């Protein structure tokens, strides 16, 4: 796999943790076991744009007041949504 940062061969899929600010700006949370890409050449660990979009969409569509400070990616994605999709994201859901 080619690294998006250094463009060298040697990137691989892994699980890492990440930090997100909640959409309302009230606090930040830690997400563990987050599907990520790690580069053995430059050492960068990052998430794909698609995954970042999925996490941000999920955070927009659930009751974040019920979230603890730290939880896993699977726990986040299993939360019941208040809406089916983020109707305000015209990039992901054009009219």
């Amino acid at each position: 796999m080619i690294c998006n940062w250094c463009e060298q061969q040697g990137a691989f899929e892994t699980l890492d943790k990440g930090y997100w600010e909640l959409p309302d700006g009230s606090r930040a949370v830690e997400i563990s076991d987050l599907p990520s890409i790690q580069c053995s050449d430059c050492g960068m660990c990052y998430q794909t744009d698609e995954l970042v979009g999925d996490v941000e969409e999920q955070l927009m569509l659930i009751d974040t007041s019920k979230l603890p400070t730290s939880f896993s990616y699977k726990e986040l994605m299993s939360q019941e949504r208040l809406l089916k999709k983020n109707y305000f994201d015209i990039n992901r859901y054009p009219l």
Side-chain angles (χ1 to χ4, degrees):
M1 180 182 290
I2 295 177
C3 175
N4 287 351
W5 290 91
C6 70
E7 300 180 351
Q8 298 297 313
Q9 192 69 26
F12 57 94
E13 294 180 2
T14 189
L15 298 175
D16 197 21
K17 62 183 168 184
Y19 301 90
W20 255 265
E21 183 177 338
L22 296 181
D24 65 2
S26 61
R27 62 191 170 109
V29 294
E30 178 185 76
I31 304 173
S32 62
D33 300 323
L34 192 61
S36 303
I37 307 294
Q38 174 81 43
C39 180
S40 56
D41 194 56
C42 72
M44 182 63 75
C45 190
Y46 60 93
Q47 293 77 43
T48 64
D49 291 342
E50 181 180 357
L51 184 114
V52 170
D54 291 345
V55 168
E56 290 179 353
E57 179 178 62
Q58 184 72 348
L59 289 172
M60 287 289 295
L61 300 177
I62 64 172
D63 182 359
T64 57
S65 67
K66 296 179 180 178
L67 289 175
T69 304
S70 181
F71 46 86
S72 73
Y73 172 74
K74 286 183 181 180
E75 289 170 326
L76 171 65
M77 299 312 281
S78 69
Q79 294 291 311
E80 181 181 355
R81 290 182 170 198
L82 302 174
L83 295 170
K84 291 182 184 178
K85 65 180 182 177
N86 180 0
Y87 295 95
F88 301 105
D89 189 349
I90 60 174
N91 294 321
R92 289 186 86 166
Y93 304 106
L95 298 174

